[in-house]
Amino acid sequence: NVLVHVFPTMYHAIKNRARGVNETCKGLLDYAKENKGGAVAKTVVEEVKILFKASIVLLTTLVFFICYDQMALLFFQQGKNLNLHIGSTIMPPGILNAFDTIAIILVVPLLDRLIFPQLQKRYNITVSVLQKLGIGYFIMVIAMIIAFITEKIRMADIPNNRTVMQVVDKQHILAAET
């Protein structure tokens, strides 16, 4: 298991760098390699490097899912204050989360099959996977800003007692307070 080797690798790398064992090392973890004067096998050091690179991706995905879940919660709360009447049908507030999912299902293939290939064909602009991820994060930030503004407006409509009670399964639950 590579996790067992993270701290010993870091320890040997920092110790050897501080002692100035080998000045030709490119990165910090290279100081821990046996062939560079360290005490850790080269393959183990490379695995730890891969783990660090993967953890960066995992941390950014964590931020994404925290924001995504927050948006889902706000969609539901804000949907309770919207006029959800379409003709004689009343839409449930939870349906707003479905619109988000439907939008993703429609927009992603549109981008991958139409817009990004046209950018490549007409303007010679290639969009990498990392750039696509960045574009998605940017759109998410815009959505969070819009949700924030909507939430501020919603919170301004709360009555003077500054709380909103919600009935769930015949129980009164505090739904919001300013």
Side-chain angles (χ1 to χ4, degrees):
N1 187 351
V2 72
L3 292 174
V4 175
H5 301 292
V6 171
F7 291 112
T9 302
M10 290 297 297
Y11 169 76
H12 288 292
I14 292 169
K15 182 177 80 170
N16 289 341
R17 183 173 181 192
R19 285 199 271 156
V21 170
N22 189 341
E23 297 299 324
T24 62
C25 295
K26 293 180 182 177
L28 175 66
L29 293 178
D30 290 334
Y31 286 94
K33 292 180 181 176
E34 288 175 334
N35 63 342
K36 303 280 185 175
V40 182
K42 181 180 177 182
T43 56
V44 172
V45 173
E46 294 303 321
E47 288 175 353
V48 171
K49 284 182 179 181
I50 291 169
L51 178 69
F52 283 154
K53 288 178 185 177
S55 65
I56 291 169
V57 173
L58 292 175
L59 287 175
T60 57
T61 355
L62 177 68
V63 171
F64 169 76
F65 281 109
I66 288 171
C67 292
Y68 190 79
D69 286 343
Q70 181 65 28
M71 281 191 322
L73 177 65
L74 287 177
F75 284 162
F76 181 75
Q77 288 180 340
Q78 292 165 1
K80 292 186 304 185
N81 293 345
L82 293 174
N83 180 4
L84 296 173
H85 295 249
I86 299 176
S88 62
T89 306
I90 300 174
M91 305 285 285
I95 199 75
L96 296 177
N97 288 331
F99 289 125
D100 180 42
T101 305
I102 291 168
I104 291 170
I105 290 171
L106 294 176
V107 169
V108 169
L110 179 74
L111 288 169
D112 273 344
R113 307 218 181 212
L114 185 67
I115 295 180
F116 291 136
Q118 287 300 318
L119 283 173
Q120 172 66 31
K121 183 178 174 183
R122 291 185 182 184
Y123 305 106
N124 200 23
I125 297 173
T126 304
V127 183
S128 70
V129 174
L130 194 58
Q131 288 171 328
K132 290 176 185 178
L133 189 64
I135 291 167
Y137 281 153
F138 178 75
I139 292 170
M140 182 182 66
V141 167
I142 300 291
M144 289 296 288
I145 291 169
I146 292 169
F148 169 75
I149 292 168
T150 307
E151 183 67 6
K152 289 301 256 184
I153 293 168
R154 183 183 77 83
M155 293 299 278
D157 287 341
I158 292 178
N160 290 335
N161 67 3
R162 306 179 75 81
T163 61
V164 173
M165 298 303 287
Q166 179 179 352
V167 179
V168 177
D169 195 28
K170 298 180 185 175
Q171 294 179 356
H172 292 278
I173 298 173
L174 179 64
E177 67 182 348
T178 58

PDB file of all heavy atoms in Angstrom, residues 10 25 32 39 49 63 68 93 119 150 173:
ATOM      1  N   MET A  10       8.670  11.167   2.713  1.00  0.00           N
ATOM      2  CA  MET A  10       8.789  12.598   3.011  1.00  0.00           C
ATOM      3  C   MET A  10       9.913  12.858   4.026  1.00  0.00           C
ATOM      4  O   MET A  10      10.701  13.794   3.874  1.00  0.00           O
ATOM      5  CB  MET A  10       7.462  13.145   3.542  1.00  0.00           C
ATOM      6  CG  MET A  10       6.358  13.227   2.515  1.00  0.00           C
ATOM      7  SD  MET A  10       6.713  14.358   1.166  1.00  0.00           S
ATOM      8  CE  MET A  10       6.837  15.900   2.030  1.00  0.00           C
ATOM      9  N   CYS A  25      19.101  16.631  -7.576  1.00  0.00           N
ATOM     10  CA  CYS A  25      17.717  16.169  -7.561  1.00  0.00           C
ATOM     11  C   CYS A  25      16.796  17.264  -8.097  1.00  0.00           C
ATOM     12  O   CYS A  25      16.961  18.443  -7.793  1.00  0.00           O
ATOM     13  CB  CYS A  25      17.296  15.793  -6.143  1.00  0.00           C
ATOM     14  SG  CYS A  25      18.207  14.378  -5.504  1.00  0.00           S
ATOM     15  N   ALA A  32      14.800  11.261  -1.592  1.00  0.00           N
ATOM     16  CA  ALA A  32      14.576  10.025  -0.835  1.00  0.00           C
ATOM     17  C   ALA A  32      14.989   8.784  -1.618  1.00  0.00           C
ATOM     18  O   ALA A  32      15.083   7.700  -1.041  1.00  0.00           O
ATOM     19  CB  ALA A  32      13.107   9.923  -0.435  1.00  0.00           C
ATOM     20  N   ALA A  39      17.037   6.515   1.230  1.00  0.00           N
ATOM     21  CA  ALA A  39      16.821   5.173   1.766  1.00  0.00           C
ATOM     22  C   ALA A  39      15.557   4.515   1.225  1.00  0.00           C
ATOM     23  O   ALA A  39      15.165   3.464   1.722  1.00  0.00           O
ATOM     24  CB  ALA A  39      16.754   5.251   3.290  1.00  0.00           C
ATOM     25  N   LYS A  49       4.824  10.034  -5.646  1.00  0.00           N
ATOM     26  CA  LYS A  49       4.616  11.191  -6.519  1.00  0.00           C
ATOM     27  C   LYS A  49       3.274  11.096  -7.237  1.00  0.00           C
ATOM     28  O   LYS A  49       2.544  12.080  -7.333  1.00  0.00           O
ATOM     29  CB  LYS A  49       5.736  11.280  -7.563  1.00  0.00           C
ATOM     30  CG  LYS A  49       7.049  11.787  -7.037  1.00  0.00           C
ATOM     31  CD  LYS A  49       8.029  11.850  -8.200  1.00  0.00           C
ATOM     32  CE  LYS A  49       9.365  12.374  -7.807  1.00  0.00           C
ATOM     33  NZ  LYS A  49      10.290  12.451  -8.959  1.00  0.00           N
ATOM     34  N   VAL A  63     -14.098  19.827  -3.714  1.00  0.00           N
ATOM     35  CA  VAL A  63     -14.656  21.182  -3.753  1.00  0.00           C
ATOM     36  C   VAL A  63     -15.848  21.232  -4.703  1.00  0.00           C
ATOM     37  O   VAL A  63     -16.881  21.835  -4.395  1.00  0.00           O
ATOM     38  CB  VAL A  63     -13.575  22.204  -4.179  1.00  0.00           C
ATOM     39  CG1 VAL A  63     -14.178  23.571  -4.437  1.00  0.00           C
ATOM     40  CG2 VAL A  63     -12.495  22.286  -3.122  1.00  0.00           C
ATOM     41  N   TYR A  68     -21.668  21.555  -5.586  1.00  0.00           N
ATOM     42  CA  TYR A  68     -22.797  20.966  -6.294  1.00  0.00           C
ATOM     43  C   TYR A  68     -23.915  20.596  -5.313  1.00  0.00           C
ATOM     44  O   TYR A  68     -25.090  20.853  -5.574  1.00  0.00           O
ATOM     45  CB  TYR A  68     -22.337  19.735  -7.070  1.00  0.00           C
ATOM     46  CG  TYR A  68     -23.375  19.200  -8.010  1.00  0.00           C
ATOM     47  CD1 TYR A  68     -23.593  19.803  -9.236  1.00  0.00           C
ATOM     48  CD2 TYR A  68     -24.158  18.102  -7.674  1.00  0.00           C
ATOM     49  CE1 TYR A  68     -24.554  19.327 -10.111  1.00  0.00           C
ATOM     50  CE2 TYR A  68     -25.118  17.615  -8.533  1.00  0.00           C
ATOM     51  CZ  TYR A  68     -25.309  18.234  -9.755  1.00  0.00           C
ATOM     52  OH  TYR A  68     -26.263  17.764 -10.599  1.00  0.00           O
ATOM     53  N   PRO A  93     -41.142  21.522  -5.497  1.00  0.00           N
ATOM     54  CA  PRO A  93     -39.885  22.277  -5.475  1.00  0.00           C
ATOM     55  C   PRO A  93     -38.662  21.416  -5.803  1.00  0.00           C
ATOM     56  O   PRO A  93     -37.695  21.904  -6.363  1.00  0.00           O
ATOM     57  CB  PRO A  93     -39.792  22.818  -4.047  1.00  0.00           C
ATOM     58  CG  PRO A  93     -41.154  22.735  -3.500  1.00  0.00           C
ATOM     59  CD  PRO A  93     -41.870  21.655  -4.237  1.00  0.00           C
ATOM     60  N   LEU A 119     -14.527  24.751 -32.576  1.00  0.00           N
ATOM     61  CA  LEU A 119     -13.409  25.602 -32.154  1.00  0.00           C
ATOM     62  C   LEU A 119     -12.106  25.099 -32.762  1.00  0.00           C
ATOM     63  O   LEU A 119     -11.267  25.893 -33.202  1.00  0.00           O
ATOM     64  CB  LEU A 119     -13.296  25.636 -30.628  1.00  0.00           C
ATOM     65  CG  LEU A 119     -14.291  26.500 -29.875  1.00  0.00           C
ATOM     66  CD1 LEU A 119     -14.158  26.288 -28.372  1.00  0.00           C
ATOM     67  CD2 LEU A 119     -14.107  27.960 -30.219  1.00  0.00           C
ATOM     68  N   THR A 150     -29.987  35.006  -5.392  1.00  0.00           N
ATOM     69  CA  THR A 150     -31.363  34.530  -5.200  1.00  0.00           C
ATOM     70  C   THR A 150     -31.636  34.246  -3.732  1.00  0.00           C
ATOM     71  O   THR A 150     -32.710  34.567  -3.216  1.00  0.00           O
ATOM     72  CB  THR A 150     -31.607  33.268  -6.049  1.00  0.00           C
ATOM     73  OG1 THR A 150     -31.238  33.537  -7.396  1.00  0.00           O
ATOM     74  CG2 THR A 150     -33.053  32.834  -5.990  1.00  0.00           C
ATOM     75  N   ILE A 173     -40.167  21.863  11.624  1.00  0.00           N
ATOM     76  CA  ILE A 173     -38.714  21.931  11.576  1.00  0.00           C
ATOM     77  C   ILE A 173     -38.320  23.338  11.155  1.00  0.00           C
ATOM     78  O   ILE A 173     -38.926  23.931  10.262  1.00  0.00           O
ATOM     79  CB  ILE A 173     -38.151  20.910  10.556  1.00  0.00           C
ATOM     80  CG1 ILE A 173     -38.531  19.491  11.005  1.00  0.00           C
ATOM     81  CG2 ILE A 173     -36.654  21.038  10.412  1.00  0.00           C
ATOM     82  CD1 ILE A 173     -38.174  18.427   9.998  1.00  0.00           C
TER      83      ILE A 173
END
